[in-house]
Amino acid sequence: MARGNTRQRIQDVALELFAEQGYEKTSLREIAERLDVTKAALYYHFKTKEDILVGIFEDLTRPMDELIAWAGEQPRTVETKREVVRRYQVALRAAAPLYRFMQENQATVRELSVGLTFKERMVTLTGLLYDDDFPVKEKVRCISAVFTLHAGTFFMQNVEGDPEDKHEAVLEVALDLIDEAHRAS
Amino acid sequence: MARGNTRQRIQDVALELFAEQGYEKTSLREIAERLDVTKAALYYHFKTKEDILVGIFEDLTRPMDELIAWAGEQPRTVETKREVVRRYQVALRAAAPLYRFMQENQATVRELSVGLTFKERMVTLTGLLYDDDFPVKEKVRCISAVFTLHAGTFFMQNVEGDPEDKHEAVLEVALDLIDEAHRAS
Amino acid sequence: MARGNTRQRIQDVALELFAEQGYEKTSLREIAERLDVTKAALYYHFKTKEDILVGIFEDLTRPMDELIAWAGEQPRTVETKREVVRRYQVALRAAAPLYRFMQENQATVRELSVGLTFKERMVTLTGLLYDDDFPVKEKVRCISAVFTLHAGTFFMQNVEGDPEDKHEAVLEVALDLIDEAHRAS
Amino acid sequence: MARGNTRQRIQDVALELFAEQGYEKTSLREIAERLDVTKAALYYHFKTKEDILVGIFEDLTRPMDELIAWAGEQPRTVETKREVVRRYQVALRAAAPLYRFMQENQATVRELSVGLTFKERMVTLTGLLYDDDFPVKEKVRCISAVFTLHAGTFFMQNVEGDPEDKHEAVLEVALDLIDEAHRAS
DNA sequence: AATGAATGAGACTTCATTCAT
DNA sequence: AATGAATGAAGTCTCATTCAT
């Protein structure tokens, strides 16, 4: 019935379940049942369970890696950093389920040899936002900017208001933190 | 030889392993071996694996619950909120392994009926920092303050500097965010 | 090598062991070893241990349920009742191991939601043999007829004599009891 | 509080639970909890779990063993046999829970070295009711008499009527079977 | 491209039992 | 007369994985 898209469908369902219940608690049986295929079919498309996750990562973290690569090539100006923040928010929204999964399953992700881990990626990213000679407090502000963006994706559901307005507000706070950090340095 | 402290020792070892590897990946066999007792001994002290975790939670989340209760009784002034932030940082440092565990195993924690969950607790706490009539942007700043404190506990290892200095800087940034939010409201 | 009959083989071996040692005392390890498969193989064919038993019940109690259904549609004459007794003896002989199991493991069976329980089935059956307006004593005779048939299956091994002769004798006694009950009513 | 009657209380509670749930399904923890003592306390009074059951048997099967012994010394007349039937019904009523347990847990009892087993006892008893030279059919009638008495204890709850009347009716049917067997021999 | 059948490892859990106190 | 703490064996069950078809 469905054609060559089974591989994709597996990844979609898997990510959904991984994000909802965690990686360890999600069994291949569950994924297979949801897709109405047998477990063995999953093994036609992926070598192992971990492989399914790795595949998802490879597809979904590319934007963030590209962002990091792009930032590395730009002049280290405030404006660059503001742009990094803007683009990071976009990347975050695009891959929200994956980031939710990454954040909530760090113990699992840590053991996966899946390129850079969540934390490593964040270390690199935050490193792009401040300079080595910043005072500690201003480094903290830059880190805070990134965490604010994360909070915006995972936590702001609990605040009432129009989603677009909230995203706008989150972005402004993050940019303010970057600005303030540079003003004080 | 084994005195009346076995129950406590189980909780200590369990939290250590849960935080390191995640709850699902940590087996009772592992905990028992580390303590040099049999698995059955664990069941003398706790009814289920989940029960071990619940016990840890009950013991370690008390300070945070007390903080929330205390804050609820104070006048809603800026100074109260600054004090909440200060105390929250202390609570966070005292129960660092548990908070690390909670943050990294949210999928697991979510299914535990363990009083307020991590997210619920944070919703309550952030709610104490801003007032309903704040503009969205200022609400975001208050949320950002809490996330900054978290970042301080889990993420700042990656920034070089004296630990006390770093904590001081984190606290200052968080307090600045609170102040700014109130100035703008 | 193993063909499509594994499911049936599991049921056969399981019933044999359940009847011999009781349900609780029979472990899945034992069943698996007897079949020279792993325990996990059992779980491919049945969802739980209880499910194995339920499967056996469903297959083997059908004749008795059919008998009860058939009897319900016949005119309530003595001859019908005599025929019920005759057919019941046949059903009993065909499913002897199951009936032995049911009789000797009532405590277990009681907790199984396996259609009518042993006792309920017998209540229904005996109810088909006497009419509501029978004197108590004659009702007892009809119940006695059924118990006689059971004794014939499970107890008569201890009496010497040709098996066919014994079955014949058992049937005659049961039929005499039915006749006597009707003569006296 | 309770004095030296703990041993008896253990047996009472144990029999109740054994009869209700079966021997294997009843754990010592359950018995201990019901008595509000620890499992270890049970071991002060009984060497093993089996020992508890054996103790119950020894206390409660004595009347039946005495009945068998008594019968062995009487002349083998019809009147003796009628008296055996009468006394057996009394014994059965006195130890109803135990008999219920024995009947419903034959698989377990079979493996217990608890004097004569249920079946053996019944073989001996029925042997006292017929003579070796009886035709098979008349032997069956005598066996049927015993099963009728059993039915009276375990099955007659399902027939409406005054309990005493029902017992009377059961006894009459059993005696009729004995009489008929002797008349025909 | 996918299934049916099975495996080996290991998970959580319960049980009867022991023994120092 | 009884408890607190613990053990060793075993149980049911689930999982990721394999392979012939």
Side-chain angles (χ1 to χ4, degrees), chain B residues 170-182:
Chain B
V170 163
L171 180 58
E172 282 174 27
V173 171
L175 292 173
D176 283 0
L177 282 160
I178 297 294
D179 290 343
E180 182 63 22
H182 282 77

Side-chain angles (χ1 to χ4, degrees), chain D residues 5-37:
Chain D
N5 58 344
T6 302
R7 193 189 147 91
Q8 184 61 48
R9 285 170 61 226
I10 292 172
Q11 287 181 324
D12 292 347
V13 166
L15 178 54
E16 195 181 329
L17 290 173
F18 289 165
E20 196 178 313
Q21 321 176 337
Y23 175 78
E24 331 277 349
K25 281 253 273 267
T26 303
S27 68
L28 294 186
R29 178 178 54 63
E30 223 173 336
I31 297 173
E33 268 170 16
R34 193 98 131 196
L35 289 166
D36 209 40
V37 294

Side-chain angles (χ1 to χ4, degrees), chain A residues 19-22 24-25 100 103-107 110-111 119 122-123 126 130 136-137 139-141 143-144 147-148 151 154-156 158-159 166 169-170 172-173 176-177, chain B residues 20-22 24-25 100 103-107 110-111 119 122-123 126 130 136-137 139-141 143-144 147-148 151 154-159 166 169-170 172-173 176-177:
Chain A
E20 196 179 312
Q21 320 176 337
E24 329 278 349
K25 282 251 274 267
R100 182 178 160 212
Q103 184 154 81
E104 297 188 354
N105 291 269
Q106 293 179 51
R110 214 180 296 141
E111 315 230 321
K119 215 172 206 167
M122 289 203 51
V123 170
T126 55
Y130 57 72
V136 177
K137 184 171 176 186
K139 288 182 178 171
V140 171
R141 264 196 248 266
I143 290 168
S144 186
F147 274 78
T148 300
F154 307 118
F155 191 74
M156 293 291 295
N158 300 96
V159 176
K166 290 192 290 183
V170 163
E172 282 174 29
V173 172
D176 283 359
L177 281 161
Chain B
E20 196 179 313
Q21 320 176 339
E24 334 275 342
K25 283 253 275 263
R100 182 178 160 210
Q103 183 152 82
E104 297 188 355
N105 290 270
Q106 292 179 53
R110 213 180 298 141
E111 315 231 320
K119 217 172 205 165
M122 290 202 51
V123 170
T126 53
Y130 58 73
V136 178
K137 183 171 175 187
K139 286 182 178 173
V140 171
R141 263 196 249 268
I143 290 169
S144 186
F147 274 78
T148 301
F154 309 117
F155 190 75
M156 293 290 294
Q157 305 142 264
N158 301 95
V159 175
K166 290 192 289 184
V170 163
E172 282 174 27
V173 171
D176 283 0
L177 282 160

Side-chain angles (χ1 to χ4, degrees), chain A residues 63-73 116 121 124-125 128:
Chain A
M64 182 160 172
D65 288 339
E66 285 169 3
L67 171 55
I68 288 174
W70 173 87
E73 293 166 5
L116 293 170
R121 241 178 268 264
T124 311
L125 183 79
L128 289 165

Side-chain angles (χ1 to χ4, degrees), chain C residues 14 33 38 47 49 74 83 116-117 129 142 144 171 174 177:
Chain C
E33 269 171 15
T38 59
K47 245 175 32 198
K49 183 184 179 184
Q74 303 310 114
E83 183 61 19
L116 293 172
T117 67
L129 294 180
C142 295
S144 187
L171 180 58
L177 281 160

Side-chain angles (χ1 to χ4, degrees), chain C residues 20 24-25 100 103-104 106 110 119 137 140-141 143-144 147-148 151 154 156 172-173 176, chain D residues 20 24-25 100 103-104 110-111 119 137 140-141 144 147-148 151 154 156 159 172-173 176:
Chain C
E20 195 178 312
E24 333 276 342
K25 284 253 277 262
R100 183 179 158 208
Q103 183 154 82
E104 297 188 355
Q106 291 180 52
R110 214 180 297 141
K119 216 173 205 165
K137 182 171 177 187
V140 171
R141 264 196 248 266
I143 290 168
S144 187
F147 274 79
T148 301
F154 310 117
M156 293 292 293
E172 282 174 28
V173 171
D176 282 1
Chain D
E20 196 178 313
E24 331 277 349
K25 281 253 273 267
R100 181 177 160 212
Q103 183 153 82
E104 295 187 356
R110 213 181 296 141
E111 315 229 321
K119 215 171 205 168
K137 183 172 177 186
V140 171
R141 262 197 248 267
S144 187
F147 274 79
T148 300
F154 309 117
M156 292 291 294
V159 175
E172 282 174 28
V173 171
D176 282 0

Side-chain angles (χ1 to χ4, degrees), chain D residues 101-145:
Chain D
F101 170 79
M102 279 201 274
Q103 183 153 82
E104 295 187 356
N105 291 269
Q106 293 179 52
T108 299
V109 172
R110 213 181 296 141
E111 315 229 321
L112 254 50
S113 44
V114 59
L116 293 170
T117 69
F118 182 60
K119 215 171 205 168
E120 287 169 333
R121 242 178 267 265
M122 289 202 52
V123 170
T124 311
L125 184 79
T126 53
L128 289 165
L129 295 180
Y130 58 72
D131 301 337
D132 281 350
D133 60 353
F134 271 31
V136 177
K137 183 172 177 186
E138 305 318 319
K139 287 182 178 172
V140 171
R141 262 197 248 267
C142 295
I143 290 168
S144 187

